[in-house]
C-alpha cells in the first residue's frame, strides 16, 4: 500500500480523533501517506462553552474511547481541562497551529496534531488559546509554527482558511456523519471510510482501504 494516500478528516478537540492515533501510526508505518484536513468542527460557529453537562458527556465518551483504543485520558486532563469552568471548547487556535506546522511540509501536520492531542488528553494542558498552543508547539520543537500562532502572517492565515475550507467541503461532499473519517481520493468520486473502521481490527481497516 505504499502508493496509497489517505485523506484524514479530523478536529484537534475530537476525543475520537485522539483515539484513532494508534491506528494512524500503524498505517503510516506501513507506508501510507496522509493528507490531514481539519473540518473546523469545534471552531467558529462550532465553538461552545465547556460547561458541566458537556464535560460529563465528554468524560463518559472518553472512557469508552480509552477502552476501545488504549489511548490514555489522564486525571490531569479531567482536573485541569474538563473540570475548569469558564473556558471554551474551541479548536480555532489548535487548528491554526496544525496548518502552520504543515505550511512548508504537509507531513508535519500529523506530528503537530499528535503533540496537541497529547498535551490536552495526557498532560492536561491548555490547547484552546493561542498562548497555550504556541507553548505546546514550541515544546515539540516546532518553533516556526509556534511563532505563526502567536503572530500569524497573511500567508499562514490564507493557507489555514484554504485547508479548513477543503476539509469542510470534502466532509459535506462525502456526507460524513462525524470525525474522524478517512477518504480515498482517486480518479472517481472520493470514497468514505467511516470512523468505525478505525476502532476495529487493523486488518479490517487495511481491507477497507484496499477496496476503496
Amino acid at each position: 500500500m505504499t502508493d496509497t494516500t489517505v485523506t484524514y478528516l479530523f478536529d484537534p478537540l475530537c476525543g475520537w480523533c485522539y483515539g484513532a492515533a494508534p491506528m494512524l501510526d500503524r498505517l503510516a508505518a506501513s507506508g501510507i501517506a496522509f493528507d490531514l484536513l481539519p473540518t473546523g468542527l469545534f471552531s467558529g460557529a462550532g465553538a461552545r462553552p465547556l460547561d458541566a453537562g458537556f464535560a460529563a458527556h465528554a468524560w463518559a465518551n472518553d472512557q469508552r474511547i480509552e477502552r476501545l483504543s488504549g489511548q490514555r485520558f489522564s486525571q490531569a486532563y479531567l482536573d485541569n481541562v474538563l473540570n475548569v469552568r469558564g473556558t471554551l471548547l474551541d479548536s480555532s487556535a489548535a487548528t491554526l497551529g496544525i496548518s502552520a506546522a504543515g505550511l512548508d511540509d504537509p507531513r508535519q501536520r500529523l506530528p503537530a496534531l499528535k503533540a496537541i492531542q497529547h498535551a490536552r488528553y495526557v498532560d492536561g494542558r491548555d490547547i484552546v488559546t493561542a498562548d497555550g498552543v504556541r507553548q505546546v508547539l514550541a515544546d515539540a520543537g516546532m518553533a516556526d509554527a509556534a511563532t505563526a500562532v502567536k503572530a500569524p502572517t497573511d500567508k499562514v492565515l490564507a493557507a489555514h482558511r484554504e485547508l479548513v475550507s477543503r476539509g469542510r467541503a470534502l466532509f459535506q461532499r462525502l456526507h460524513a456523519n462525524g470525525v474522524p473519517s478517512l477518504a480515498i481520493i482517486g480518479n472517481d468520486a472520493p470514497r468514505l471510510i467511516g470512523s468505525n473502521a478505525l476502532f476495529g481490527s487493523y486488518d479490517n481497516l487495511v481491507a477497507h482501504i484496499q477496496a476503496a
Side-chain angles (χ1 to χ4, degrees):
M1 292 197 299
T2 53
D3 324 359
T4 304
T5 298
V6 175
T7 300
Y8 180 59
L9 297 169
F10 73 96
D11 188 279
L13 285 183
C14 161
W16 288 101
C17 296
Y18 169 62
M23 199 68 87
L24 294 187
D25 287 342
R26 290 191 67 178
L27 290 174
S30 75
I32 287 181
F34 286 99
D35 183 20
L36 267 65
L37 293 182
T39 63
L41 178 65
F42 292 116
S43 63
R48 54 165 299 160
L50 183 57
D51 56 29
F54 189 87
H57 171 74
W59 184 246
N61 265 335
D62 294 339
Q63 300 313 291
R64 183 180 173 210
I65 296 165
E66 185 170 303
R67 289 192 297 272
L68 285 171
S69 68
Q71 287 286 79
R72 180 183 169 208
F73 293 83
S74 73
Q75 188 67 36
Y77 159 66
L78 178 62
D79 293 341
N80 301 327
V81 176
L82 287 187
N83 286 342
V84 176
R85 300 287 77 86
T87 60
L88 280 176
L89 190 75
D90 186 348
S91 61
S92 300
T95 306
L96 177 61
I98 292 163
S99 299
L103 188 63
D104 295 323
D105 182 357
R107 292 173 298 181
Q108 292 305 305
R109 290 182 208 141
L110 184 56
L113 171 61
K114 291 178 66 175
I116 287 169
Q117 289 171 328
H118 190 277
R120 179 178 177 86
Y121 295 114
V122 179
D123 298 335
R125 295 174 61 180
D126 161 36
I127 60 122
V128 299
T129 67
D131 280 345
V133 173
R134 179 193 62 76
Q135 189 60 59
V136 168
L137 292 173
D139 291 347
M142 300 180 182
D144 289 345
T147 299
V149 171
K150 183 177 181 180
T153 63
D154 289 344
K155 180 181 178 181
V156 168
L157 291 173
H160 171 62
R161 287 192 296 268
E162 190 269 340
L163 201 65
V164 174
S165 177
R166 282 176 54 207
R168 285 178 171 163
L170 182 59
F171 184 87
Q172 292 167 1
R173 183 179 179 188
L174 291 167
H175 303 290
N177 59 9
V179 292
S181 288
L182 300 178
I184 307 297
I185 313 294
N187 295 326
D188 303 321
R191 284 153 290 179
L192 174 69
I193 298 174
S195 58
N196 287 346
L198 286 161
F199 295 93
S201 75
Y202 175 73
D203 289 343
N204 183 61
L205 176 58
V206 169
H208 273 81
I209 292 171
Q210 290 174 332

